[in-house]
Amino acid sequence: MKKIAVIGAGIVGLATAYELRRHGLDVSVYDADAKPGQGTSKANGAQLSYSFVTPLATPDVLRSLHKLLLDRNGALRLHPTFSLSQCSWLLSFLKACSASQSQRGAENLLQLGKLSRQVLDQLQRTQPLEFAHNHHGKLQVFENSQSFAAARDAQGSFLGRHGVEQRVLTPAQTVEQEPSLAPIAHRIQGGLFTPSEEAGDCEQLCLALQERLQQMGVVFHFNTPITRLERHGDSITAFTAQGALDAHTIILANGTGAQKLARPLGLDLGIYPLRGYSLTIPVDEHSGAPQASVSDIRNKVVYARIGDKLRVAGMIDIGVNKPSAIAARLSTLRQQVQEFFPALTPTGDIEEWTGERPSRPTSTPLIGASPFNNLFVNVGHGALGFTLAFGSARLLTDILQSPSNKQPLLAPLFSL
Ligand SMILES: Cc1cc2nc3c(=O)[nH]c(=O)nc-3n(C[C@H](O)[C@H](O)[C@H](O)COP(=O)(O)OP(=O)(O)OC[C@H]3O[C@@H](n4cnc5c(N)ncnc54)[C@H](O)[C@@H]3O)c2cc1C
């Protein structure tokens, strides 16, 4: 049997290995880290956000560019580094801000989200994995009546067209839906509740998947960075410090690391790291923590309950890398939590985390073949890698196994 090497043991690489192995293929996984899920998959926002897939690049973002450059505490922040990679990514991002491109991106991502939900549901029905998976829905909370009305109309028409149920709530109904919001009831202008949304602990899922995959016969190589890809005619060989990998097919699923590996082959995957932040707050039933996933729309901060933890995540920073700037952003996030859930009482120490989303200008991942006959990609999932991992894995497996004249319908939407 031909050997397949998956590079990357984050949620995307592991889901890919799972789908390939389920189809009877011989799979090994390589990761630079000592265990799975230690990259961007570690402490993300925990949302399986199947219906909230609007790309980052929208006409609205374009209109608020001045704020982006000036507001030090804004949800989106740009620190210009004047590097070629940042400049070219930003130019492509600005181009992607058109209404038509952003609408097309949302439609495509919604289809991939639907497939992802199906694949993960199937796994959970047959041989469930423990990752604090819950189906408590998502509640968006608005403190501004104009932004509430705009979101209600825009989301109502988009989600309605795609058959996703969303309930429009008065301020009182919003608090009834999520009683932990009572201390800020006087500020709430309305809520939008989407019952079908889910949440879970992405790192825990990565660890559980590794165990399952080992039982299925997948071989893991940790502490094994892939140092380069070398071209031999139309095919590629991957190298570690120890030498060439013994693999017929190579799948790049290594998040932000993919750009650097692919570049020397003349492949620009368009991935740039967009920094985000999270807090993990230990809670119990007396802590005043929400049960549903809650989005604080004013600050663009998301809250998800994962077992006895409350995960809080937010902010998108472009080019922010200084430790002092990172510490300042985490402190702002703590402040935002205090203002939104003033009565929240943690049961222990709060863990801070920062991670980089492997983001493409259009927010759509690349899934499928490359110009080289044995190199495939499953990369660039940006802010939605947890949500989209299983659909992306299924799509890549279908692409790999189908003859070139019978590719899956979704394949052209995410091709290189
Ligand atoms: C603050 C924040 C909040 C988020 N919230 C959500 C959310 O609520 N819902 C959601 O769906 N998504 C969310 N995301 C996005 C999501 O976390 C990412 O899209 C996802 O984790 C990407 O997974 P990945 O497997 O592609 O990358 P990673 O998890 O980063 O995995 C890549 C792996 O490849 C390895 N690697 C890299 N280079 C090499 C190499 N050369 N050789 C060997 N190994 C290598 C790394 O060690 C790593 O283990 C959030 C992201 C952030 C930052």
Side-chain angles (χ1 to χ4, degrees):
M1 206 189 313
K2 287 177 181 169
K3 291 185 174 181
I4 301 183
V6 174
I7 303 176
I11 190 62
V12 173
L14 292 163
T16 304
Y18 176 77
E19 277 299 304
L20 292 167
R21 186 66 195 128
R22 234 173 43 80
H23 285 78
L25 299 164
D26 179 353
V27 184
S28 297
V29 179
Y30 294 80
D31 199 289
D33 221 306
K35 54 181 189 162
Q38 301 306 294
T40 318
S41 302
K42 187 172 172 64
N44 61 26
Q47 321 262 326
L48 289 164
S49 198
Y50 298 118
S51 312
F52 292 85
V53 291
T54 305
L56 179 61
T58 61
D60 280 352
V61 167
L62 200 56
R63 276 191 287 274
S64 55
L65 257 192
H66 57 292
K67 268 202 203 151
L68 161 68
L69 287 163
L70 296 175
D71 184 359
R72 291 185 61 77
N73 289 326
L76 191 59
R77 198 167 139 197
L78 170 64
H79 174 74
T81 60
F82 304 105
S83 66
L84 190 61
S85 58
Q86 192 190 65
C87 290
S88 78
W89 192 90
L90 283 172
L91 275 178
S92 305
F93 177 79
L94 292 178
K95 264 197 227 154
C97 283
S98 74
S100 59
Q101 168 94 50
S102 133
Q103 175 76 17
R104 202 167 48 244
E107 304 271 350
N108 295 348
L109 289 170
L110 202 71
Q111 292 196 58
L112 191 58
K114 255 187 203 166
L115 179 62
S116 296
R117 189 202 292 269
Q118 279 167 21
V119 178
L120 183 56
D121 277 0
Q122 191 185 11
L123 191 167
Q124 289 301 80
R125 265 198 313 274
T126 48
Q127 290 179 298
L129 294 167
E130 178 47 48
F131 65 103
H133 188 192
N134 69 66
H135 297 69
H136 297 320
K138 182 184 183 78
L139 177 62
Q140 298 170 80
V141 181
F142 296 82
E143 295 181 45
N144 174 301
S145 53
Q146 273 173 341
S147 79
F148 175 51
R152 183 193 59 206
D153 296 347
Q155 290 181 22
S157 94
F158 180 71
L159 296 180
R161 245 183 311 125
H162 291 280
V164 178
E165 183 197 350
Q166 185 169 73
R167 296 178 203 148
V168 178
L169 306 180
T170 62
Q173 288 168 330
T174 305
V175 177
E176 206 175 298
Q177 180 69 45
E178 188 44 75
S180 60
L181 292 167
I184 61 155
H186 58 287
R187 295 184 350 221
I188 296 175
Q189 299 297 317
L192 295 173
F193 183 62
T194 316
S196 56
E197 298 301 277
E198 304 172 17
D201 186 331
C202 187
E203 182 190 16
Q204 202 185 340
L205 178 57
C206 288
L207 294 165
L209 264 174
Q210 182 213 355
E211 207 180 308
R212 174 70 51 82
L213 285 166
Q214 276 175 326
Q215 289 160 4
M216 291 163 72
V218 171
V219 178
F220 282 85
H221 303 264
F222 288 109
N223 299 307
T224 309
I226 301 302
T227 49
R228 69 180 200 281
L229 301 176
E230 222 175 77
R231 179 182 179 169
H232 301 277
D234 284 342
S235 53
I236 295 297
T237 306
F239 287 82
T240 67
Q242 279 69 47
L245 287 198
D246 174 22
H248 172 270
T249 301
I250 296 157
I251 297 175
L252 280 186
N254 57 328
T256 52
Q259 181 77 5
K260 193 170 154 209
L261 276 185
R263 210 64 184 102
L265 302 174
L267 273 185
D268 183 2
L269 303 175
I271 297 172
Y272 191 82
L274 298 191
R275 187 174 290 287
Y277 306 86
S278 79
L279 302 173
T280 303
I281 307 177
V283 292
D284 64 16
E285 66 274 26
H286 308 296
S287 295
Q291 286 297 333
S293 292
V294 173
S295 299
D296 162 7
I297 296 298
R298 181 164 66 95
N299 291 310
K300 298 194 169 43
V301 170
V302 294
Y303 294 80
R305 186 69 178 265
I306 41 176
D308 56 2
K309 293 179 279 189
L310 179 66
R311 176 66 50 73
V312 186
M315 301 173 183
I316 299 175
D317 284 354
I318 308 175
V320 173
N321 292 314
K322 266 196 188 162
S324 58
I326 291 172
R329 292 296 258 170
L330 282 162
S331 147
T332 301
L333 190 57
R334 278 180 182 256
Q335 181 69 35
Q336 288 168 339
V337 176
Q338 225 158 49
E339 285 168 14
F340 200 69
F341 284 110
L344 185 74
T345 44
T347 56
D349 291 341
I350 297 176
E351 280 173 41
E352 296 182 339
W353 177 81
T354 179
E356 295 179 319
R357 303 169 182 90
S359 300
R360 294 184 8 91
T362 55
S363 297
T364 47
L366 286 176
I367 305 164
S370 78
F372 305 100
N373 59 30
N374 67 335
L375 180 70
F376 291 78
V377 294
N378 195 358
V379 293
H381 293 75
L384 287 169
F386 182 30
T387 305
L388 301 177
F390 283 88
S392 305
R394 170 69 58 85
L395 181 57
L396 184 75
T397 304
D398 288 349
I399 291 170
L400 210 75
Q401 295 207 299
S402 309
S404 55
N405 58 346
K406 285 212 173 127
Q407 289 285 292
L409 280 177
L410 285 183
L413 306 182
F414 302 101
S415 62
L416 190 64

